[in-house]
Amino acid sequence: MEELVGLREGSSGSPVTLQELWGPCPRIRRGIRGGLEWLKQKLFRVGEDWYFLMTLGVLMALISYAMNFAIGRVVRGSGIPELKTILSGVVLEDYLDIKNFGAKVVGLTCTLATGSTLFLGKVGPFVHLSVMIAAYLGRVHTKAIGEPENKSKQNEMLVAAAAVGVATVFAAPFSGVLFSIEVMSSHFSVWDYWRGFFAATCGAFMFRLLAVFNSEQETITSLYKTNFRVDVPFDLPEIFFFVALGAICGILSCAYLFCQRTFLGFVKTNRVTSKLLATSKPLYSALAALVLASITYPPGVGRFIASRLSMKQHLESLFDNNSWALMTRNSSPPWPEELDPQNLWFEWYHPRFTIFGTLAFFLVMKFWMLILATTIPMPAGYFMPIFILGAAIGRLIGEALAVAFPEGIVAGGVTNPIMPGGYALAGAAAFSGAVTHTISTALLAFELTGQIVHALPVLMAVLAANAIAQSFQPSFYDGTIIVKKLPYLPWIRSRKISSHRVTVEHFMNATITTVAKDTPLEEVVKVVTSTDMAKYLLVESTESQILVGTMERAHLVQALQAEPPSWAPGHQQCLQDILAGGCPMEPVTLQLSPETSLHQAHNLFELLNLQSLPVTSRGRAVGSVSWVELKKAISSLTNPPAPK
């Protein structure tokens, strides 16, 4: 039905609805409507899009504030060093809080959107995201079934989550589990192996299945498919060159780790850069990104470092089994104006440079550019860039061998051409394994390419690189822990027999504070107020000093602050009365002896993720050992004091 309309009495204007004519308070409603019309005309005088721009500004300001609040707390960087610290028994506040998940995802998306400009990956942040979800699901499961929290089980779930993070990036479940175990924990229960493999397999399968559903692949295949020669992938004399490549990668990894750790420490201690990082992180990030973007600009210097290639295209081109140097020996293909997906290797050739010039220039530039990029306070992964650097090192060696032996190396009367792509694969595994101190990168290379024909030479190269790197430099993640001053327990690198003669008696803290059951409450109050220890050693009596347990400082303070019950006349209040009143104490289940060796104490701390242990002799408390004493003892073995 059409709406009835009419005219107001004495009015010659437009007709209005009868509901408006007969509604309550028509004059007031007309005044309000007129005021709103006047306000609309004034506000939209500069254009109706002003309103939307204002709304956009307000919303983005709110989002920016929320992201700065979250990202500034814990989500910048890789995340693996902090996770390694947590698995060693240290509590880092808010690191595993699910509230930071969204900020980490947004920050990582922005990092990956830069492409090859910043040359950063996503392995570390994915591991962080995975462990955040695992910790949250663990808390939900614990609350749902009403069980108390189990610290050891939580750590096992975090290690499995780290394996899932690696597996979902590379679709490599086997190497994902082994890599997470090598990097995250010094000891791992074989019983919990299946947890990591099950979760990593599910993650890798779904990751590749989504590619099939999205019509990117016809079936589930490897991430970087190669077509290496299967019948004779390498000749026996080439084993020597693969081992030499591993040694070169080990030496270069030591140089990279030293420079990266030194520069990161310089940035944190320099007056200008430390002030920028403390007060203006966006400004520092913008300046660093501007420097990197200016260099990687394709029409400029970027044309000599294959800057138009994405990280995936870098690997696909470097794993090419054809020799570029031999292909360009008699011909000089022009540098294409646009990227040719069918001939990615054209990006590594320029008429002004040879293949060796572009590869060498790429290594030199990316070496320091990656070090600079690691100082930017934003979520980023550093494994993939290191993997590509290693592939470029191997490619350079492989191209040199292909030129030196254009017909191949003669072995047994048969000549087979050298495949530089095989050396790129070995270099990627060796350099990344040396930087991270892992062997599983060899298996990762096979899972990435889907071919295992270079299993023996790649593994030998990785072993040679690790032998050099582990002898001279801490791993990338351990070095970051050192620079960030996170709590850590170093390895005992001394191989001397004399190191096994060092016992707890030589380095324990003999100045300890104990509280006895017969100690008067006045003395207990003095001990609590004069010290800041988290736990106190509880002994049977002041005279015997027989260790019976430990008491939490918080519980002791709470018991002292509680109103005491009525005591019998003449009764002196002592600690035994508080214990009888219900103040909790923990029995000592683990303790060291003064004759315990340094190696035994170190293994015990690593295996059980301990922070400190009491030292007893015939039951008497004589000292304590914590990370501080262990680190000093290990340091004295590595750098013994000068003789007096």
Side-chain angles (χ1 to χ4, degrees):
M1 177 182 292
E2 295 182 359
E3 193 173 19
L4 298 178
V5 296
L7 291 175
R8 296 187 181 91
E9 184 179 359
S11 174
S12 60
S14 303
V16 296
T17 62
L18 296 182
Q19 181 181 3
E20 183 179 351
L21 286 173
W22 296 341
C25 305
R27 294 183 181 276
I28 297 178
R29 288 190 289 109
R30 286 199 300 271
I32 295 176
R33 185 178 295 105
L36 292 176
E37 290 291 335
W38 177 85
L39 181 62
K40 179 180 178 180
Q41 292 176 2
K42 295 295 184 182
L43 289 178
F44 290 164
R45 180 174 295 178
V46 296
E48 295 187 0
D49 58 343
W50 180 87
Y51 171 77
F52 301 103
L53 292 175
M54 180 191 68
T55 305
L56 176 63
V58 173
L59 288 177
M60 293 309 297
L62 294 175
I63 295 174
S64 176
Y65 175 79
M67 287 181 61
N68 288 337
F69 178 74
I71 293 177
R73 289 161 59 191
V74 296
V75 302
R76 60 181 178 270
S78 169
I80 293 181
E82 289 81 2
L83 176 60
K84 189 172 183 178
T85 303
I86 290 176
L87 292 176
S88 65
V90 180
V91 178
L92 296 181
E93 296 293 337
D94 297 331
Y95 176 77
L96 300 179
D97 195 343
I98 195 65
K99 297 177 182 178
N100 302 313
F101 184 87
K104 189 83 174 184
V105 170
V106 174
L108 179 59
T109 303
C110 296
T111 301
L112 297 178
T114 61
S116 60
T117 300
L118 296 185
F119 202 59
L120 295 172
K122 60 179 180 179
V123 177
F126 257 67
V127 171
H128 188 187
L129 293 173
S130 181
V131 297
M132 276 195 288
I133 296 177
Y136 177 73
L137 293 178
R139 288 192 293 267
V140 171
H141 177 264
T142 300
K143 293 180 179 179
I145 64 178
E147 287 185 356
E149 291 188 1
N150 190 327
K151 190 67 176 178
S152 60
K153 190 173 182 180
Q154 180 185 8
N155 288 349
E156 294 164 4
M157 291 296 294
L158 294 183
V159 174
V164 174
V166 178
T168 51
V169 173
F170 297 117
F174 294 102
S175 54
V177 173
L178 297 179
F179 182 82
S180 65
I181 293 174
E182 284 187 286
V183 172
M184 304 300 171
S185 55
S186 58
H187 296 80
F188 189 77
S189 176
V190 180
W191 176 258
D192 299 306
Y193 232 34
W194 73 271
R195 300 175 185 270
F197 275 112
F198 179 77
T201 302
C202 293
F205 175 74
M206 180 55 65
F207 177 70
R208 298 309 294 157
L209 193 63
L210 291 174
V212 176
F213 289 161
N214 198 32
S215 301
E216 297 177 9
Q217 300 287 342
E218 295 182 0
T219 184
I220 296 178
T221 59
S222 57
L223 203 58
Y224 302 99
K225 290 183 292 187
T226 56
N227 53 352
F228 296 143
R229 193 171 58 245
V230 178
D231 49 354
V232 185
F234 59 92
D235 288 312
L236 185 60
E238 290 187 64
I239 293 291
F240 169 77
F241 296 114
F242 278 103
V243 175
L245 172 62
I248 293 173
C249 289
I251 296 172
L252 293 178
S253 68
C254 290
Y256 172 80
L257 290 171
F258 175 78
C259 295
Q260 189 270 339
R261 191 173 66 255
T262 303
F263 185 72
L264 187 60
F266 168 79
V267 169
K268 289 185 173 295
T269 56
N270 182 263
R271 184 173 60 86
V272 178
T273 55
S274 61
K275 185 177 180 180
L276 278 177
L277 288 173
T279 59
S280 303
K281 291 185 180 68
L283 178 59
Y284 178 86
S285 302
L287 292 176
L290 178 62
V291 172
L292 297 176
S294 302
I295 296 174
T296 56
Y297 184 56
V301 182
R303 71 177 66 184
F304 305 114
I305 55 176
S307 62
R308 292 193 299 189
L309 297 179
S310 64
M311 303 193 80
K312 182 178 180 180
Q313 291 172 334
H314 274 100
L315 283 182
E316 290 177 347
S317 60
L318 291 172
F319 288 162
D320 184 8
N321 59 342
N322 297 314
S323 174
W324 304 335
L326 295 180
M327 294 170 63
T328 57
R329 173 178 289 185
N330 299 322
S331 62
S332 299
W335 190 72
E337 295 295 332
E338 299 292 337
L339 181 65
D340 186 2
Q342 303 300 325
N343 296 286
L344 295 177
W345 71 273
F346 284 172
E347 298 297 315
W348 296 97
Y349 179 81
H350 195 275
R352 299 180 184 177
F353 276 64
T354 63
I355 291 296
F356 299 101
T358 54
L359 285 172
F361 190 65
F362 173 84
L363 290 174
V364 172
M365 297 299 291
K366 290 299 183 180
F367 186 89
W368 69 265
M369 291 170 67
L370 180 57
I371 293 176
L372 175 61
T374 56
T375 64
I376 300 177
M378 61 189 303
Y382 310 119
F383 179 83
M384 195 64 171
I386 292 171
F387 197 78
I388 295 176
L389 277 180
I393 296 172
R395 185 79 199 191
L396 182 61
I397 301 298
E399 292 288 349
L401 291 175
V403 172
F405 304 96
E407 302 297 330
I409 299 177
V410 180
V414 180
T415 303
N416 294 297
I418 291 177
M419 291 189 299
Y423 288 86
L425 184 67
F431 188 73
S432 59
V435 170
T436 57
H437 288 190
T438 56
I439 309 297
S440 57
T441 52
L443 182 58
L444 175 62
F446 305 143
E447 288 191 278
L448 278 178
T449 59
Q451 288 190 279
I452 200 171
V453 292
H454 288 87
L456 183 60
V458 169
L459 184 58
M460 294 179 69
V462 172
L463 290 175
N466 267 274
I468 296 175
Q470 294 190 27
S471 300
F472 297 100
Q473 291 292 328
S475 70
F476 176 84
Y477 304 116
D478 290 339
T480 305
I481 290 175
I482 295 173
V483 174
K484 289 186 175 182
K485 297 181 179 180
L486 297 172
Y488 80 103
L489 189 61
W491 288 1
I492 302 178
R493 298 186 178 275
S494 177
R495 298 293 187 267
K496 298 180 180 179
I497 300 298
S498 58
S499 65
H500 292 268
R501 303 193 188 113
V502 179
T503 61
V504 169
E505 186 179 9
H506 295 142
F507 60 86
M508 70 177 184
N509 178 22
T511 307
I512 58 174
T513 302
T514 61
V515 288
K517 291 183 179 181
D518 57 357
T519 304
L521 289 187
E522 292 81 2
E523 297 296 329
V524 175
V525 172
K526 291 181 181 179
V527 170
V528 172
T529 54
S530 61
T531 60
D532 57 353
M533 300 172 60
K535 284 186 178 181
Y536 295 98
L537 299 179
L538 178 64
V539 296
E540 186 65 33
S541 64
T542 307
E543 182 180 357
S544 67
Q545 290 291 308
I546 300 297
L547 183 64
V548 295
T550 60
M551 297 187 67
E552 295 280 351
R553 176 189 177 88
H555 295 159
L556 187 56
V557 170
Q558 184 178 3
L560 291 173
Q561 291 177 347
E563 185 177 354
S566 57
W567 303 102
H571 178 80
Q572 185 182 17
Q573 302 178 21
C574 60
L575 185 58
Q576 178 64 46
D577 300 318
I578 291 182
L579 293 174
C583 182
M585 61 158 283
E586 298 179 4
V588 177
T589 56
L590 290 174
Q591 50 192 296
L592 299 175
S593 168
E595 289 76 26
T596 304
S597 68
L598 171 62
H599 287 265
Q600 291 174 331
H602 184 271
N603 289 337
L604 192 62
F605 271 71
E606 276 197 330
L607 182 62
L608 300 178
N609 297 329
L610 303 174
Q611 299 296 309
S612 64
L613 277 180
V615 182
T616 60
S617 177
R618 296 181 180 180
R620 299 180 68 252
V622 295
S624 66
V625 173
S626 65
W627 279 22
V628 176
E629 288 76 30
L630 278 175
K631 290 169 70 173
K632 289 181 180 179
I634 296 172
S635 177
S636 64
L637 285 178
T638 307
N639 302 306
K644 296 181 180 180

